[in-house]
Amino acid sequence: MLVGPGDDAGVHLIAGQAVVETVDVITPVVNDPFTFGAISATNSMSDVYAMGGWPLTALAVAGFPSCDYEPIVLKEIIRGAVAALKRAGAVLIGGHSFEDNEIKFGLSVTGIVDKDNILRVGGAVAGDVLILTKPLGIGILTTALKGGKLSDADISHAVKWMLTLNEAAAVVAVGAGATACTDVTGFGLLGHALNMVIGTDLDFVIYNDRVPVLERVNEMIDAGMVPEGAYHNLRYLDGKVEFPAGFTEEHKLLLSDPQTSGGLLIAVKSDGVSVFEKSSVFFTVIGKVEKGSGKVNVA
Ligand code: CO
Ligand code: CO
């Protein structure tokens, strides 16, 4: 075993090849079943990319209330997942569905990774910069969709990001010599940043004003469309993340917003930034790594 539980995915050496395995299952974040299937598949594959690997095969895991929905709904979800896998060069080879009281869908994904270029969650070095490859606010916008404050069309920009594979970002991260990497998902930016630094003699500094945020997110925070998960995340961060004086609750919640199919958070030496600049991957330098005590400091 090269990487065990606690990272984005497990990595096992099988016949000399480093094999990456992960599973993730989510509830619907959009109304259209095909789009939901594609988003869920993209989200599930993200943990393979977060290891610097690439997906090859997948098994579907589906909870389905067959009394409430026609079978075509599950078929469309799977068709969406297959389309996303195809874009990634991966194939669905089976799966399992079970009766449930709400729709749940995800994939168990198997991929491979170059064993000398595994992107672990730990490994950042003082002096590295921190790069984020998708804007924040996906959880807030999908909560606003569920709450009837926004339409499917209103969140199409968020859907585009959720459907964006972290493939290109991972390739650039490996090429740039990234020292550590994770994907920003349920624990929000701050939770995943803390996960990369906790227990080390380093601190992560995050420059709040550099963090990219999706359109309409601040408006939806003001409208109360903050997912329960953001409050949970923020409570967990208490004492482990330092905020500047006067930093508002709204900003704290945004930095704690759970993301579905969020971007990669990458630590890389500062000269690695030029590799991102030469690529077509969206990225923002949002912080730096310095000597410390295993905390995240928002500046
Ligand atoms: Co992950
Ligand atoms: Co995961």
Side-chain angles (χ1 to χ4, degrees):
M1 187 167 70
L2 299 177
V3 182
D7 216 307
D8 290 297
V11 184
H12 221 88
L13 208 54
I14 299 174
Q17 172 63 59
V19 175
V20 188
E21 291 182 287
T22 179
V23 60
D24 206 342
V25 177
I26 60 173
T27 54
V29 286
V30 291
N31 295 310
D32 176 57
F34 180 92
T35 307
F36 167 58
I39 288 171
S40 180
T42 306
N43 179 67
S44 293
M45 287 187 279
S46 178
D47 278 324
V48 175
Y49 293 125
M51 303 308 292
W54 52 97
L56 293 177
T57 61
L59 299 168
V61 183
F64 195 70
S66 59
C67 300
D68 303 335
Y69 296 94
E70 296 295 324
I72 181 73
V73 173
L74 183 55
K75 282 203 181 114
E76 278 297 292
I77 293 171
I78 292 169
R79 213 167 61 81
V82 167
L85 284 162
K86 192 174 177 190
R87 281 194 293 127
V91 288
L92 189 71
I93 56 170
H96 177 70
S97 68
F98 54 94
E99 195 64 33
D100 205 344
N101 55 11
E102 60 177 343
I103 292 178
K104 295 180 184 120
F105 185 80
L107 301 176
S108 165
V109 185
T110 300
I112 54 175
V113 61
D114 172 359
K115 63 180 183 298
D116 299 321
N117 282 306
I118 298 174
L119 299 179
R120 291 174 172 82
V121 85
V125 179
D128 284 354
V129 297
L130 297 171
I131 284 174
L132 181 66
T133 68
K134 289 185 190 180
L136 291 189
I138 287 169
I140 289 158
L141 293 181
T142 57
T143 299
L145 176 71
K146 282 178 195 153
K149 293 272 185 198
L150 293 177
S151 67
D152 287 281
D154 290 334
I155 70 154
S156 60
H157 59 313
V159 169
K160 187 201 88 177
W161 282 110
M162 287 190 278
L163 290 171
T164 301
L165 294 169
N166 280 329
E167 178 180 33
V171 169
V172 175
V174 170
T179 54
C181 175
T182 196
D183 57 335
V184 177
T185 53
F187 299 122
L189 174 64
L190 293 179
H192 288 282
L194 182 64
N195 200 28
M196 292 174 83
V197 80
I198 200 162
T200 71
D201 59 354
L202 302 169
D203 280 352
F204 277 14
V205 179
I206 302 216
Y207 311 118
N208 174 62
D209 60 356
R210 298 222 196 136
V211 175
V213 178
L214 289 164
E215 273 172 50
R216 303 202 66 174
V217 168
N218 288 311
E219 174 196 340
M220 288 303 117
I221 296 175
D222 292 340
M225 294 291 111
V226 176
E228 194 56 37
Y231 290 94
H232 280 267
N233 288 341
L234 190 53
R235 276 197 294 276
Y236 172 77
L237 298 170
D238 192 40
K240 303 173 187 112
V241 175
E242 304 266 346
F243 296 100
F247 202 76
T248 65
E249 182 81 358
E250 286 77 12
H251 267 108
K252 292 180 186 176
L253 288 167
L254 172 56
L255 296 181
S256 312
D257 182 41
Q259 307 296 285
T260 299
S261 193
L264 297 182
L265 177 59
I266 300 157
V268 65
K269 302 223 173 320
S270 53
D271 58 12
V273 174
S274 64
V275 180
F276 281 86
E277 283 164 352
K278 283 179 204 129
S279 77
S280 58
V281 169
F282 172 90
F283 79 98
T284 310
V285 174
I286 61 157
K288 64 177 179 183
V289 183
E290 56 184 33
K291 284 274 167 212
S293 58
K295 285 201 301 200
V296 176
N297 301 313
V298 178

